[in-house]
Amino acid sequence: MSAEPPAQFQLTIDVRSYEVDVNGHVNHAVYHQYAEHARMEHFRAAGLSQARLSGHGATIVLLATTANFRSELLAGEQLTVDSELAFGEGRAFTMRHRIVRTVDVDGNPAGDVLAADVDCTLGVMDVVTRKLLHGPRDRLAAAATDVALLDPR
């Protein structure tokens, strides 16, 4: 299964040996960690560090996450994790990640095989009231240094 073109943001990760379970492939929980790493790097690239968000009285919280596993990953492979934000009405927004194998264990191109999709529902929470804020896109844009990384292509 070939993956789609890259989304708004992507990063490269090497699969480390300690991420592999007794079946010889990446443990299911690690896929969520890959998505979390991409999510935090995406926000950081947009200028939304935790310190900056706190200075605006807000933080980003994860409300739900679902992983759909498509193809196993092995120690020594290289992958890209991309992310795409979507904002709607209300207090929640979504970020979708695709985890794609790009290099196999022998260092050969892997043909961009989709290994998993991870879908996340997030919110922007007021750090004082501990309540979700309406208009998360506007709240994030007010604090961001690169607003283009918040907008879908």
Side-chain angles (χ1 to χ4, degrees):
M1 172 185 289
S2 182
E4 300 169 20
Q8 289 170 300
F9 179 83
Q10 74 176 45
L11 58 90
T12 301
I13 297 175
D14 293 324
V15 177
R16 296 161 293 239
S17 60
Y18 61 83
E19 296 169 334
V20 175
D21 64 19
V22 297
N23 296 314
H25 57 233
V26 169
N27 179 276
H28 63 92
V30 176
Y31 289 80
H32 292 282
Q33 293 172 347
Y34 293 157
E36 176 75 10
H37 182 53
R39 189 164 46 258
M40 298 310 291
E41 288 300 304
H42 186 149
F43 289 134
R44 188 185 62 74
L48 295 170
S49 67
Q50 188 58 49
R52 188 167 180 87
L53 283 168
S54 291
H56 283 80
T59 190
I60 299 168
V61 293
L62 179 65
L63 303 172
T65 183
T66 304
N68 294 301
F69 306 105
R70 310 292 182 190
S71 178
E72 67 183 350
L73 293 171
L74 307 173
E77 292 181 326
Q78 189 174 78
L79 52 98
T80 60
V81 183
D82 65 17
S83 55
E84 187 84 38
L85 282 160
F87 295 94
E89 301 299 317
R91 293 180 277 186
F93 64 100
T94 61
M95 184 177 266
R96 181 172 193 221
H97 304 282
R98 288 174 306 145
I99 300 171
V100 177
R101 178 187 312 104
T102 56
V103 176
D104 70 17
V105 295
D106 295 320
N108 300 313
D112 293 347
V113 176
L114 181 63
D117 330 89
V118 180
D119 295 310
C120 303
T121 303
L122 303 121
V124 176
M125 185 176 76
D126 183 292
V127 295
V128 174
T129 66
R130 309 305 280 178
K131 303 264 186 210
L132 291 180
L133 298 168
H134 286 280
R137 192 253 175 243
D138 293 339
R139 301 283 182 156
L140 295 175
T145 57
D146 188 351
V147 178
L149 284 173
L150 301 178
D151 289 315
R153 293 185 285 155

